[in-house]
Amino acid sequence: MTIPFDASDALARGFAKHLAAIAKRSGAPAEVVSPLEHAAYRASLACAAGSVCIPLGELLHSGNDELDAKLATPFATPFETPLEPRRQASLEPPLTAKWRSDLEALREALFASTMLSASDHPIRPLVIDEQDRLYLNRYFDYEERLARRLLQTYTGPRQAIDQSLKDFFQRLFPQQHRASDVKPDWQALAVALAINRGFTLISGGPGTGKTTSVLKLIICAKYMDPECRIRLAAPTGKAASRMLEALSKAAEGIGQTIDLCKEVEGIRTVLELPKEAFTVHRLLGASAHADRFHYDRDHPLPLDLLIVDEASMLDLALTVQLIEAVPSTARIVFLGDKDQLAAVEAGAVFAELSASPCLSLACCEQLEQITGISASSYQNASPSEPSLDNVIWLRHNYRFAKHSDIDDLIGLINKGDAKTLMARLKSGSYQSITWHDDTSSPLSGEAKALLLEPMADYIKQLDTDCQDLFSLFDRLGRYKILCAERDGPRGVEAMNQIVNEATQMAQRGRGHIKRERFVDDAVYQTWYPGQCIMVLRNDYHLGRFNGDIGIVMPNTQGHPVVYFPDALEPNKAISLSRLGDYELSFALTVHKAQGSEFDHICLVLPNKTSPVVNKSLLYTAISRAKKSVSIIASEASLFEAIARPVKRYSGIRSRIATLHA
């Protein structure tokens, strides 16, 4: 018997074995070694799955017998010959061990191992806090540091409210709702909260006006302080560039949509936008030759306002490093969607902190002074735990009509109502949503037809005039195939190959299929005009970032160059050989598509059960579409995905509440 190699599992088992060996050498009783191994393994594996901690009770009745066998069995790596299972003498009767079913016995055994400490003395590899959450030490430290930093520097009102600010705010939001209106202007409240607090989280789905809110926040910040140093950032280079592009487009019509009086002093400065958006790593001064950032708690960033887009993609470790590097006098605004996919690494900080939009009455009264919006129109019931008064949900959707097909589908996904959703898909009641129940592997002919049909405009353009780059990008941007996985018969690579073969057919008859041997490659690579590729590595010299999508075209010498939507001039084209790492991008993973928008998306789900396919992934994928959606999935896999909850354990909210008390 061997266990297939899995990096996360291998690391977790190695950590557990190492900790058990240290405990033995430290003189820990033999009977506590087994519970220690179990706890260390589960805590490590939980972090690999995105959690910061794991409730201690999860270790009870959770397949302990199976885990005993796993911890006792060698595993093969891609570089090793599989080993035979070894016999391991049981240190305790597995079925009668009290720690397996009794929380107090488990807690006592772990403390007796000397490898675990309580939260007030977190100096050992494992930590148990006062609510019986089990942590790896470094993640407990991250959570504690974040909670203390937020409480110390980013709570309480920041801005003195005078008549000048009130008057300017009225011009900034001329259509704001008054006390008599039923629905408040959530954008106005978001901006008012951001200028009134040191740390603000603005959560909203697609089409709820996050970009407009940021633009008006920048205008307001510049009005209050023309010298305000504003920095824009995002977790990825692509997200950063999208943020800057979206702000620029929103600002084009600012004069028509906002009644800003020309006589306002410094109005020209007010309308200036930041010229650049950074990745978080670049903002902090990451270096390939150093194991730390240039900016940290001892060397703060030179800024007065930091706005971070797609903040749901920030993991706990990076969030802590970013927050600590921001001066205590500055403001921080996190933008995101609490329901979207969280970071790949451990921690869902944005989702955790923005889980409750409750504001205290005192905070609501301060916002009313700025906006004129009565607190009674939006204040929720008093929160069960102390509020930091820093969360706003943007609740009005400007993209989807209320009760539209996509809006209804998203709502059912968020509720986890798989039964109702499947019934509506089966009945055909949706006009803009198509579902093909496909169990074939690879895809059936009917499924391939559904996949390729929206590509017809792009393929037709290639066949008629492939030199019209503007039209090519326009048609390419209307439709995208999204996959849950990279590999497998329903993964990104397989879908890209299907579309690639179809687009090649449009070029083969015209003799446009080319083969070119790149300098750094040992083999020839096939390309054709209109081939769609995605950059996989940031290159600041070229001005291209991970996630940038371009189209391959021949230059005057017939060699392949890549054009990008923001650089269509011939002198801005980049040689395909200079891009380094890239791949076909007719299809993307849902993770890669975060922050993007398309008229139509086709979501392809694997047939096999996968823990990554859950309602959060479905929500993120479906919400990328503006007009229509196609889904290729078996009924069983789609039902399981909708019904599968997203489990990410964290203690940040309760830790803030404990420290705040």
Side-chain angles (χ1 to χ4, degrees):
M1 173 187 171
T2 60
I3 299 175
F5 181 76
D6 178 90
S8 299
D9 183 81
L11 288 170
R13 291 165 66 196
F15 174 68
K17 292 294 183 185
H18 184 65
L19 214 59
I22 296 175
K24 290 177 183 178
R25 291 197 298 268
S26 301
E31 62 269 16
V32 306
V33 174
S34 182
L36 174 63
E37 278 191 328
H38 280 241
Y41 174 84
R42 292 292 302 278
S44 180
L45 210 58
C47 291
S51 292
V52 176
C53 57
I54 183 171
L56 202 59
E58 289 284 313
L59 274 65
L60 306 177
H61 309 294
S62 56
N64 282 312
D65 294 339
E66 182 182 346
L67 186 52
D68 283 339
K70 176 177 284 192
L71 291 173
T73 304
F75 53 89
T77 75
F79 315 104
E80 296 177 343
T81 302
L83 302 173
E84 293 296 323
R86 65 179 180 269
R87 293 179 177 265
Q88 185 181 45
S90 180
L91 299 173
E92 40 149 351
L95 299 179
T96 60
K98 191 176 181 181
W99 69 266
R100 296 173 182 271
S101 57
D102 184 86
L103 187 63
E104 185 60 34
L106 174 59
R107 190 187 298 108
E108 290 179 4
L110 292 178
F111 278 113
S113 73
T114 71
M115 293 294 104
L116 180 140
S117 62
S119 58
D120 54 343
H121 297 288
I123 56 175
R124 291 174 179 168
L126 299 176
V127 179
I128 293 181
D129 71 0
E130 59 279 355
Q131 297 189 27
D132 279 335
R133 289 183 289 251
L134 179 67
Y135 291 81
L136 300 183
N137 182 282
R138 72 185 183 108
Y139 287 108
F140 178 84
D141 180 61
Y142 286 145
E143 206 170 77
E144 188 83 356
R145 284 162 54 187
L146 178 60
R148 292 188 181 279
R149 182 70 170 177
L150 293 178
L151 285 173
Q152 289 172 356
T153 58
Y154 300 119
T155 58
R158 284 291 187 87
Q159 182 63 38
I161 303 170
D162 55 21
Q163 191 60 46
S164 174
L165 176 60
K166 294 179 184 179
D167 292 343
F168 186 80
F169 210 87
Q170 302 303 317
R171 293 194 292 273
L172 200 60
F173 293 93
Q175 302 299 321
Q176 70 176 27
H177 296 274
R178 304 299 178 188
S180 60
D181 294 317
V182 177
K183 297 181 180 178
D185 187 337
W186 294 107
Q187 291 184 21
L189 290 169
V191 174
L193 187 66
I195 65 175
N196 194 247
R197 285 295 188 273
F199 178 56
T200 306
L201 299 106
I202 302 174
S203 177
T208 53
K210 292 191 293 292
T211 299
T212 303
S213 299
V214 170
L215 178 62
K216 293 186 178 183
L217 170 61
I218 292 173
I219 292 173
C220 201
K222 282 292 188 179
Y223 171 76
M224 295 186 298
D225 179 12
E227 302 301 320
C228 181
R229 298 169 297 174
I230 301 172
R231 295 292 183 272
L232 307 178
T236 67
K238 186 60 180 175
S241 63
R242 287 182 190 133
M243 181 187 191
L244 196 62
E245 180 183 356
L247 282 173
S248 299
K249 288 182 179 179
E252 290 176 358
I254 197 70
Q256 293 77 35
T257 59
I258 300 176
D259 182 22
L260 294 173
C261 299
K262 294 182 179 180
E263 64 267 18
V264 175
E265 186 178 356
I267 190 65
R268 191 172 299 277
T269 303
V270 168
L271 294 176
E272 288 182 358
L273 294 175
K275 299 296 189 293
E276 188 175 10
F278 301 82
T279 65
V280 173
H281 285 83
R282 187 180 172 213
L283 180 73
L284 291 173
S287 172
H289 308 290
D291 59 355
R292 58 179 298 176
F293 295 115
H294 177 74
Y295 295 103
D296 54 28
R297 70 179 85 181
D298 299 319
H299 306 88
L301 288 158
L303 54 81
D304 302 304
L305 171 62
L306 173 64
I307 302 172
V308 183
D309 198 14
E310 299 294 342
S312 63
M313 300 169 65
L314 291 175
D315 60 77
L316 175 61
L318 188 57
T319 302
V320 171
Q321 291 166 307
L322 177 62
I323 294 290
E324 289 185 338
V326 176
S328 60
T329 56
R331 292 181 176 87
I332 301 176
V333 178
F334 278 8
L335 299 161
D337 186 344
K338 63 181 179 61
D339 297 315
Q340 277 197 34
L341 288 167
V344 176
E345 303 296 330
V349 179
F350 185 87
E352 280 290 313
L353 293 179
S354 60
S356 173
C358 293
L359 302 174
S360 68
L361 181 59
C363 179
C364 292
E365 290 173 347
Q366 293 163 2
L367 299 185
E368 183 176 351
Q369 292 182 47
I370 301 173
T371 65
I373 302 173
S374 172
S376 61
S377 65
Y378 66 91
Q379 196 210 4
N380 297 310
S382 300
S384 58
E385 58 191 45
S387 173
L388 294 182
D389 290 332
N390 62 349
V391 178
I392 281 285
W393 290 358
L394 300 180
R395 313 183 191 205
H396 181 74
N397 197 301
Y398 298 91
R399 179 186 303 170
F400 308 130
K402 192 172 180 61
H403 306 306
S404 67
D405 289 352
I406 295 178
D407 185 59
D408 184 71
L409 186 64
I410 287 174
L412 292 174
I413 291 172
N414 275 336
K415 293 177 184 177
D417 191 350
K419 187 176 181 180
T420 301
L421 192 149
M422 296 304 303
R424 292 182 183 177
L425 287 176
K426 289 180 178 180
S427 69
S429 59
Y430 289 136
Q431 300 298 311
S432 58
I433 298 171
T434 303
W435 169 49
H436 180 65
D437 185 4
D438 188 78
T439 59
S440 304
S441 185
L443 295 183
S444 66
E446 187 178 349
K448 285 184 180 180
L450 181 64
L451 191 82
L452 292 172
E453 183 181 359
M455 290 293 300
D457 285 345
Y458 184 75
I459 294 174
K460 183 179 180 181
Q461 185 68 32
L462 288 177
D463 196 42
T464 54
D465 184 8
C466 63
Q467 298 296 324
D468 187 351
L469 290 172
F470 181 83
S471 295
L472 282 177
F473 275 113
D474 178 62
R475 286 161 172 76
L476 190 64
R478 296 176 188 177
Y479 173 63
K480 188 61 67 176
I481 301 165
L482 302 182
C483 304
E485 300 176 333
R486 285 192 52 82
D487 304 320
R490 292 169 173 250
V492 166
E493 293 185 0
M495 298 305 105
N496 271 323
Q497 193 56 41
I498 292 173
V499 180
N500 197 48
E501 291 174 358
T503 52
Q504 281 189 28
M505 293 180 63
Q507 300 292 290
R508 186 170 286 115
R510 303 176 65 184
H512 286 165
I513 305 299
K514 307 290 185 181
R515 297 179 76 231
E516 182 129 337
R517 183 172 177 264
F518 299 146
V519 176
D520 297 330
D521 295 331
V523 296
Y524 283 87
Q525 295 194 13
T526 301
W527 66 276
Y528 56 88
Q531 193 172 40
C532 180
I533 62 100
M534 181 175 64
V535 178
L536 299 177
R537 184 177 61 189
N538 293 341
D539 190 324
Y540 294 102
H541 179 70
L542 294 176
R544 303 277 48 113
F545 306 100
N546 183 6
D548 282 352
I549 292 176
I551 293 177
V552 182
M553 297 294 290
N555 61 12
T556 54
Q557 291 78 39
H559 299 301
V561 295
V562 184
Y563 290 88
F564 294 91
D566 59 341
L568 298 181
E569 296 85 357
N571 65 331
K572 293 185 178 180
I574 301 172
S575 171
L576 187 59
S577 61
R578 293 187 62 197
L579 281 179
D581 297 333
Y582 63 89
E583 65 181 9
L584 292 172
S585 64
F586 297 107
L588 300 175
T589 63
V590 178
H591 284 83
K592 280 286 188 182
Q594 286 194 94
S596 300
E597 297 176 356
F598 310 95
D599 289 349
H600 181 195
I601 67 102
C602 180
L603 175 62
V604 183
L605 297 182
N607 280 330
K608 65 179 186 333
T609 300
S610 173
V612 302
V613 185
N614 51 42
K615 71 174 188 177
S616 181
L617 182 135
L618 293 183
Y619 169 86
T620 304
I622 302 300
S623 61
R624 300 308 92 206
K626 294 188 289 185
K627 296 181 179 179
S628 56
V629 174
S630 301
I631 302 173
I632 299 175
S634 67
E635 180 177 352
S637 63
L638 185 56
F639 189 96
E640 288 177 5
I642 299 168
R644 183 176 294 116
V646 182
K647 277 191 174 183
R648 285 213 174 191
Y649 296 113
S650 168
I652 183 63
R653 284 178 58 82
S654 61
R655 197 157 315 285
I656 289 174
T658 299
L659 293 173
H660 192 47

